[in-house]
Amino acid sequence: MTPKQFLDLVEIRVVIPSVAPLLVGLVYSQWQYARLNWLNAGLLIVATISVHLAVNTFNRYEDAKRQKENAYLREAAAGEVISHRQVRQVALALGIIAAIAGVAVALRTDYVTWVIGIVSFLIGYLYSAGPKPITNTPFGEIVSGLTMGYFIFVAQVYVNTQMTPMPSVLLQWFVVSFPLTVFIAEIMLANNIADHDEDEANARHTLVHYIGVPAAKRLYLFAALLAFAEVVVTTLVGWLPVTSYALVMLLPLVMRHARGFIANPVKRETFILAIKNLVIVMLGMTVTILAGLLI
């Protein structure tokens, strides 16, 4: 397997949903609590990205078994073939790396990190495997958004600060990470809108199957607006620095991307716009929180 094949197989281009809450959680830890632990943060980054890539790989493996037609390489050239065995080996290797890094950071903290790690592994498995994978249900968007946007953010803030996870603290962290949760869920929703016909042919009953493509498109736009409205409220109550008001300036660009996707929801042409929106929000939150450290 060549490096190009490996990166294609693990879908490295969609690793941004893992990176976003890690990055924002890191700067938020410094702004809100003035605490950073670079070793813990580094181990968590390795564990999280490895889990994400392992789930991507295993998801494609499970899809290949279920669907009538599938290819592991999206742009395969002549002679490029990846076997089921190779895919399983890649998923296993990534899982082992994630487990080693995850156990290391858990040993350096306490039981809370263990709980977050175990729950994340279970959700990662159930997301793609079992008799009824979550990705084949109407709950894929909610689960992916919460698991990656909220759980990863919580893990990053916790391993850096080890704040006692009281209900009030967990609520604050949920509210702060809400925009990330929304735009990660939007990636899943965009994927399911673009793949609707294929999913119907393969009996994958996602949220789009139940509410229909027109309603899914309206939800896609509404969720983006809701995320920005929530940022204003969160900043108003003091859970984000006042510099976060500047994020509103990004709304026109985000909405232009969102409308561009729903006008032509084709995976190879416009799906990238959903990922770009998450990148915009991720960088926007990171920069505005960092700016908050200066005032």
Side-chain angles (χ1 to χ4, degrees):
M1 185 184 303
T2 66
K4 176 181 177 295
Q5 287 177 315
F6 172 79
L7 295 176
D8 188 4
L9 175 65
V10 301
E11 299 189 85
I12 193 68
R13 61 192 176 283
V14 294
V15 78
I16 293 297
S18 287
V19 174
L22 289 168
L23 182 58
V24 176
L26 195 64
V27 296
Y28 181 77
S29 297
Q30 180 61 36
W31 174 76
Q32 183 71 294
Y33 305 107
R35 299 182 194 173
L36 286 179
N37 187 309
W38 289 105
L39 179 55
N40 286 355
L43 289 169
L44 182 66
I45 289 169
V46 171
T48 303
I49 292 177
S50 296
V51 166
H52 189 174
L53 298 181
V55 170
N56 286 349
T57 305
F58 194 68
N59 187 35
R60 294 182 70 178
Y61 173 73
E62 289 294 317
D63 282 349
K65 291 195 304 181
R66 291 187 180 91
Q67 298 179 7
K68 296 177 181 178
E69 293 184 7
N70 198 359
Y72 285 123
L73 299 178
R74 298 186 185 281
E75 297 180 8
E80 291 185 342
V81 177
I82 294 180
S83 68
H84 285 347
R85 182 170 178 270
Q86 286 177 301
V87 176
R88 290 195 301 268
Q89 289 174 336
V90 169
L92 178 60
L94 289 168
I96 291 173
I97 292 172
I100 292 172
V103 168
V105 73
L107 289 173
R108 289 178 49 81
T109 52
D110 57 26
Y111 76 95
V112 175
T113 311
W114 284 102
V115 171
I116 295 173
I118 292 170
V119 170
S120 297
F121 264 106
L122 287 175
I123 292 176
Y125 173 76
L126 295 174
Y127 189 78
S128 304
K132 190 66 173 178
I134 296 172
T135 187
N136 291 4
T137 73
F139 306 110
E141 286 80 1
I142 294 176
V143 172
S144 62
L146 286 176
T147 303
M148 304 185 75
Y150 179 53
F151 281 17
I152 294 176
F153 178 86
V154 167
Q156 180 69 296
V157 177
Y158 185 76
V159 301
N160 277 282
T161 67
Q162 291 192 257
M163 289 289 298
T164 303
M166 301 285 288
S168 59
V169 173
L170 292 175
L171 174 62
Q172 179 174 336
W173 292 350
F174 173 74
V175 172
V176 170
S177 65
F178 184 75
L180 300 174
T181 299
V182 167
F183 282 97
I184 289 172
E186 290 252 274
I187 289 176
M188 181 68 170
L189 181 58
N191 180 75
N192 288 338
I193 291 173
D195 286 348
H196 176 64
D197 292 340
E198 179 183 336
D199 287 344
E200 290 296 305
N202 289 287
R204 294 183 65 196
H205 297 160
T206 66
L207 178 63
V208 181
H209 167 83
Y210 290 97
I211 68 175
V213 172
K217 290 180 177 180
R218 291 193 295 270
L219 176 61
Y220 187 80
L221 290 176
F222 173 76
L225 290 170
L226 178 64
F228 276 85
E230 194 267 354
V231 166
V232 173
V233 175
T234 306
T235 306
L236 186 64
V237 300
W239 288 352
L240 282 172
V242 293
T243 48
S244 295
Y245 285 125
L247 281 169
V248 177
M249 294 189 296
L250 298 175
L251 180 59
L253 177 59
V254 168
M255 293 308 295
R256 183 161 71 246
H257 286 166
R259 292 192 182 97
F261 170 75
I262 65 171
N264 182 39
V266 178
K267 181 71 74 67
R268 289 182 177 273
E269 297 177 15
T270 57
F271 177 70
I272 188 64
L273 295 175
I275 299 176
K276 284 183 177 180
N277 275 352
L278 176 60
V279 172
I280 290 168
V281 172
M282 171 189 70
L283 294 178
M285 292 186 71
T286 301
V287 170
T288 55
I289 293 173
L290 281 173
L293 291 169
L294 304 177
I295 62 174

